[in-house]
Structures are given as structure tokens and as C-alpha cells.
Amino acid sequence: MAETIWFRDDSRPRKPRLSRERIVEGAVALLDAEGVAGFSMRALAARLGAGTMSLYEYVRSKEDVLDLALDEVIGEIAPEPAGSWRETLVRQLTQSRQVMRRHPWVPALTATRPLIGPNALARSRLVYTALADAGLSGPVLLAAVGALSSYVNGFVASENIWWAKVRTPAADAEIRERVVAHLGEHVSDLGRIAQVDNADFDGQFLLGLDLVLDGITHRLPPGSQGSRG
């Protein structure tokens, strides 16, 4: 794994024509348009109207830019608690999903690097503190964080792939209608319970998150703050 920018003191001299902030803004826009596979320092320089080598006056490598861009969009998630531990996690994870829907390249990067930029650390601290204040500790706390992260990342990854293929609600509805008809003809018992026509992604996300949080609540120590709230 390449050395991450967050382990270094890497302030570099700046010229008026470019800035690290402008480079990060351009990187986010390029990633939104082309994804990680289409990202390069040459393409970023072209978007900024600058020479490729001029970018290296502000950052050491492409990986530095990706680290900075990822932490920038993580900053779109509110860093404050929202009431109870459960309300805080619902808001954090709902906003995490929204960020990953706006920026579909985020899941690919979060799986390949430590999330230790200032924005990422603030949000991680909030999640860990919410679960610790609820009464979790040790391996159970770590497992709870992993379960929540896996649920959100998995849901959004599937959602992003689906919409990249289907693209419009009308196309989604047409596919669902055809699947419902197919199930009705071939496996009617499955058709009755599968609810394939349910296209409420928001509702399904929140319901699934509730199920995960219910499981976490079940593991809270009796008498803990979280088990009472």
C-alpha cells in the first residue's frame, strides 16, 4: 500500500494560479464524472487548465489527491451527534449513503486506504463514541462498527451498480413489472412474498438499518444507557 498523505507533514509552496483546494475540488469533479478508473493526474491537469507537472508542486502523488478528495466528500456528513446514540448513527449512516450516491467512487476508495483524514476521523470518532456511550466495548464494539459499515457500503454498492445499469425510475419499474409477471407464472409462492415491485430504496435502507441496530441493541449490557434509551 502506498504511503498515505496523512502520515506526512507535506505542506508545499503555492502559486496563485493553483492551490491544493482547487486541485481537490477539480479531483472530486473528475471522479464524479469518470470514476476512479478514469482518474489520472493528466486528466486532472487538463480539467484545471494546468500542466501535469505543476500539480506536483502541491501534492506528491496521485494517491495524495485521492486521499484528499475522499476526505473532502466525507466532510459532507454532519459531524455532530443527533440526540440518542441510535439517532446519531441513523443520521450518520443515512448521510453516508447520500454521499456515496452523489459520489459513486467513494466505496472503491474507502476499501483501499486508511480513513484518517481530519473529516474521516471526526466522523469515526462520532460513531465509535455513540456506540461506546450506549454501552459497547471491546470486540463487540468493533464488530458493531464493522456490521454497520458493511451494511451501508454493501447496500450503496448494489444501489450504485443497479442505477448505473438501469438509469431511470421508468426503466426500473418496467423491469420490476416483468419480474413480477415471471414469478407469477413460474414460482407464484415466491412472487407473493418477494415484493419485487417495492422500489422504495430509501425505506428499504432505513428498515435494514433498523434491523442491524436492533441486533446491536440486543447486545448492550443490561442497565446500560443505550439499553434504556
Side-chain angles (χ1 to χ4, degrees), residues 171-188:
D172 176 69
E174 180 182 353
I175 292 172
R176 291 177 186 277
E177 288 176 7
R178 296 179 67 181
V179 172
V180 168
H182 181 84
L183 294 181
E185 181 178 352
H186 296 284
V187 278
S188 58

Side-chain angles (χ1 to χ4, degrees), residues 85-86 89-90 131 136 148 206-220 226-227 229:
W85 69 273
R86 187 161 178 147
L89 292 176
V90 168
L131 290 167
L136 294 186
L148 290 166
L206 290 173
L207 180 56
L209 181 55
D210 270 346
L211 292 174
V212 177
L213 292 172
D214 286 347
I216 291 173
T217 301
H218 183 69
R219 296 301 298 267
L220 296 176
S227 65

Side-chain angles (χ1 to χ4, degrees), residues 2 10 12 36 42 45 48 63-64 76 85 93 100 109 111 113 118 125 138 162 168 174 183 197 220-221:
D10 196 28
R12 297 195 171 206
V36 176
R42 178 174 295 181
L48 295 171
E63 289 300 313
D64 283 2
E76 297 173 15
W85 69 273
L93 298 173
M100 288 187 276
L109 289 188
R113 63 202 62 237
R125 183 180 186 183
W162 177 253
T168 68
E174 180 182 353
L183 294 181
D197 56 344
L220 296 176

